[in-house]
Amino acid sequence: MSSHQVTFAAAQLGPNQRSDSRESVLSRMLSLLEQAVSQSPPAQVVVFPELAFTTFFPRHFIPDDEELQSYFEAESPDSQVDQSPNVKPFFDHVKKLGVDVYVGYAEAWNGGEKTEYYNSAVYYSGRSGQVLAKYRKVHLPGVFEPFPEPGATQQLEKRYFKNGNSFEAFRVPGLVGDALKATPDAPVQTDGRGDPIFGMLICNDRRWPEGWRAYGLQGAEVVLCGYNTTAYAPQLLGSDLYESKPLSREEAEKEVLYHNQLSLTANSYMNACFSVNVAKAGEEDGHPLIAGTCIVDPKGYVVAEARTKGDEIVAATLDLRKCRAGKTKTFDLGRHRRLDAYGLLLERAGVEEPPLLT
Ligand code: CDT
């Protein structure tokens, strides 16, 4: 295998029901891992969805604190997620296989004072048996107060989680053969010759160009993103005020899938990076989630995608040199971006319209 090629497996999960035991979900995740490393060529990096170990619990209003806490993995300065008893068998197995993983989970961080709760993902290196990077979801969708309608699909991430506040790209050792290493005379700009540069996003983040650009500015070659996206939820998505009739379930799901792929292909293209995007899919707790797991190249083409709404491996070997054309031509950021024109982007979060005409 040429030194710039890395094999990824997107490990799409079917639904995890609220009533499923932790063990049953783990055993499905372990079979996906086994499948990913026994294919040819074997996966070097396996990417799981957002909140992979449990049901997508923010769709429920959960007044029982004991139940709510049961979805979280406890972390502290001395103990990272791989030591959390619910999920330790997963990380132990990853280590045994010597593969790398991205996996989403609910983090209960206790740094000594009040516990903070995040929707997080880690990049764990099975070879070194350690967490290389952690990402906390920045763009939390939904609302704080539950919708009053009985049976409504809730989206209570703003209630259950604190938002993350950084997009930090990182290099991953051991994936390519002849990576440039830091030496006093190593170049500052390596043009793709160092260890691969990855970034992480979680679900809703993929719809916001800001995170992608932050990774683009750090030279990211692959962005990893797990998601749980509702296929039909009029309360969340709104019905189009100017349509004569609301979308049917089928039309709504088709549109949600379209927006999923639009966000992934456009942002991969505009930042000249690959992206590996992984769903938890199917009917979970009676609420439909889209599938649409896909791997996208730096030109914005989908190179592999899921065929089912269940547990499925979607794999591709990616040649990271394919990022160079975009990064050195159309999206050579340093050459073409105009900071003098972008002041507004950091001054303003929401819309302020120009004054009305007289
Ligand atoms: N999990 C998650 O972030 N879901 C959101 C739902 C948005 S509701 C409009 C998503 O972007 O898929």
Side-chain angles (χ1 to χ4, degrees), residues 249-265:
R249 278 182 165 258
E250 292 70 30
E251 287 166 336
E253 179 161 359
K254 202 168 151 206
E255 191 169 277
V256 176
L257 279 164
Y258 171 69
H259 289 150
N260 175 54
Q261 208 169 90
L262 179 66
S263 308
L264 302 170
T265 52

Side-chain angles (χ1 to χ4, degrees), residues 50 56 137 141 155 157 203-204 206-207 228-229 236-237:
E50 173 190 37
F56 183 72
K137 185 173 183 176
Q155 223 306 355
E157 290 192 56
C203 197
N204 191 249
R206 73 200 188 285
R207 304 185 195 278
N228 285 261
T229 292
L236 293 176
L237 301 172

Side-chain angles (χ1 to χ4, degrees), residues 93-227:
H93 202 78
V94 168
K95 191 171 168 185
K96 193 175 112 199
L97 296 174
V99 69
D100 286 5
V101 296
Y102 160 113
V103 64
Y105 65 102
E107 174 193 355
W109 169 254
N110 191 324
E113 299 201 340
K114 219 167 116 259
T115 303
E116 291 175 350
Y117 299 91
Y118 296 97
N119 185 341
S120 300
V122 279
Y123 187 95
Y124 179 85
S125 158
R127 244 167 301 112
S128 61
Q130 55 179 328
V131 172
L132 285 192
K134 178 160 77 178
Y135 172 75
R136 290 168 168 165
K137 185 173 183 176
V138 169
H139 300 99
L140 297 174
V143 290
F144 188 87
E145 292 302 336
F147 298 123
E149 298 88 356
T153 306
Q154 304 290 350
Q155 223 306 355
L156 293 170
E157 290 192 56
K158 287 193 196 306
R159 182 181 195 92
Y160 295 147
F161 304 120
K162 189 174 169 180
N163 62 287
N165 57 11
S166 68
F167 300 102
E168 279 178 43
F170 53 99
R171 287 197 190 268
V172 181
L175 294 179
V176 301
D178 58 352
L180 271 184
K181 297 289 180 184
T183 58
D185 51 354
V188 177
Q189 293 296 337
T190 67
D191 300 323
R193 288 175 295 140
D195 285 300
I197 306 173
F198 288 5
M200 296 191 276
L201 295 174
I202 300 178
C203 197
N204 191 249
D205 289 319
R206 73 200 188 285
R207 304 185 195 278
W208 299 86
E210 290 84 351
W212 292 88
R213 181 60 96 216
Y215 287 133
L217 286 165
Q218 296 168 80
E221 292 163 306
V222 189
V223 169
L224 311 174
C225 180
Y227 60 90

Side-chain angles (χ1 to χ4, degrees), residues 64 88 152 178 280:
D64 174 3
K88 189 171 183 306
D178 58 352
K280 174 137 61 62

